[in-house]
Each structure stands twice: as structure tokens, then as C-alpha cells.
Amino acid sequence: MLLRLPVCPHCHAVYSYAEVSAMKQEERFCYHCKKKYKVIKTKGKVILMSFVCIILICINLLLFTINEDINIIVLALLNLSVITAAVLILPLTVRFKAEKIRKAEKRRLKNKQ
Ligand SMILES: [Zn+2]
């Protein structure tokens, strides 16, 4: 899984971090080429979150093995920072899938112009 912001699958137009994080999982039209694509959020989210869970389990097990008297607050803060980092990375796992524009939609877009 590559961690980078998604680009338009048709024209490779770039979208900002803020734009991508505000997007819902839905069909959208590119601001640049006006072609349709679908925003895919769930897949990246599931992969990232499972990865984070494994990392957290490993970190906690490792720390307990090294030091059994580890401060619980330190441990909580460490876990929290890993989760925060994951949430910040989340928009980088969003992907755009090219979709065909239906004839009715094409007509509607033409009428708008
Ligand atoms: Zn485009």
C-alpha cells in the first residue's frame, strides 16, 4: 500500500490533503477534466487500522518484556501518539477509481455549461 494523496485517475490532477480528508466515499467529478471517479476510503482505512493494531500490540508486548514496571501513563501516551499518527495518515490511504459517466449525466453536465 502506497502512502500518498490520491490523484485523478483520468488526468492526474492533484488534490490537497484538506480536500481529500473532507471527501466522503462517493462518486465525484474531477475539477480539472470533469470526468467521473469514485472515492474509495474503506479499504485503505481497514488496512491501515489493522496494521496499527499489530504495531501497537508489538510495541506494548516489547515494552512489557523489557520493563514490567513501566509507567501506565507513558504507555497510554505512546499508544495515543501512534493512533494520532495513523489518523493523520488516513487521507493518504484514500484512492480514486475511474468511473464511466452515464449518458444522462453527460447530458446534464452539458446543460450546465
Ligand atoms: Zn481529472
Side-chain angles (χ1 to χ4, degrees), residues 29-60:
F29 293 95
C30 175
Y31 69 88
H32 183 244
C33 66
K34 310 282 185 258
K35 283 179 182 165
K36 193 160 84 165
Y37 61 84
K38 193 171 183 205
V39 183
I40 312 282
K41 297 193 86 169
T42 332
K43 196 182 164 198
K45 196 186 234 171
V46 169
I47 295 170
L48 182 69
M49 286 309 162
S50 350
F51 185 67
V52 167
C53 281
I54 295 165
I55 295 269
L56 282 179
I57 292 166
C58 289
I59 290 175
N60 289 304

Side-chain angles (χ1 to χ4, degrees), residues 29-36 101 104-113:
F29 293 95
C30 175
Y31 69 88
H32 183 244
C33 66
K34 310 282 185 258
K35 283 179 182 165
K36 193 160 84 165
I101 301 181
E105 284 172 329
K106 212 176 240 177
R107 230 174 290 139
R108 206 170 58 218
L109 281 175
K110 258 186 197 157
N111 291 338
K112 258 189 211 167
Q113 283 163 356

Side-chain angles (χ1 to χ4, degrees), residues 55-98:
I55 295 269
L56 282 179
I57 292 166
C58 289
I59 290 175
N60 289 304
L61 279 179
L62 192 71
L63 287 175
F64 270 116
T65 321
I66 296 168
N67 179 6
E68 281 176 25
D69 311 314
I70 193 158
N71 190 329
I72 202 81
I73 294 167
V74 172
L75 211 58
L77 282 176
L78 188 74
N79 284 305
L80 202 68
S81 45
V82 173
I83 293 165
T84 310
V87 170
L88 290 176
I89 290 171
L90 213 50
L92 306 185
T93 67
V94 174
R95 286 295 164 262
F96 296 159
K97 190 171 159 278

